[in-house]
Amino acid sequence: MSLPVVRLLRGLTGLTRRLPVQRAQMHSKPPREELGTMDVAVGLTACFLCCLLPSGWVLSHLESYKKRE
């Protein structure tokens, strides 16, 4: 790289070193209520339906997607 480009990149990285970084102050506590069996079942079912079902549909119909019509 040429010398002006190197100086420009060094100047830009120097600016980022001086910027303040905001960090989130996160603290967690134990849950107020324990999760019941029904709550866990509903959560797992929702995850299954939202994530695994569409990908399973695509994988099961992959051969028909490969065909050119």
Side-chain angles (χ1 to χ4, degrees):
M1 286 201 272
S2 65
L3 188 61
V5 173
V6 172
R7 287 184 180 169
L8 175 67
L9 290 175
R10 281 188 187 160
L12 290 175
T13 56
L15 288 174
T16 57
R17 284 187 218 142
R18 290 182 232 130
L19 292 174
V21 177
Q22 294 182 356
R23 297 183 189 263
Q25 300 293 327
M26 296 180 67
H27 303 282
S28 65
K29 297 179 182 178
R32 292 186 189 126
E33 301 174 8
E34 291 293 322
L35 292 177
T37 308
M38 192 62 175
D39 297 329
V40 173
V42 167
L44 290 175
T45 304
C47 288
F48 172 76
L49 290 175
C50 292
C51 299
L52 297 177
L53 198 63
S55 59
W57 173 269
V58 170
L59 288 175
S60 66
H61 292 87
L62 201 56
E63 292 300 321
S64 63
Y65 292 143
K66 287 181 181 179
K67 292 179 185 174
R68 286 195 169 189
E69 294 182 29

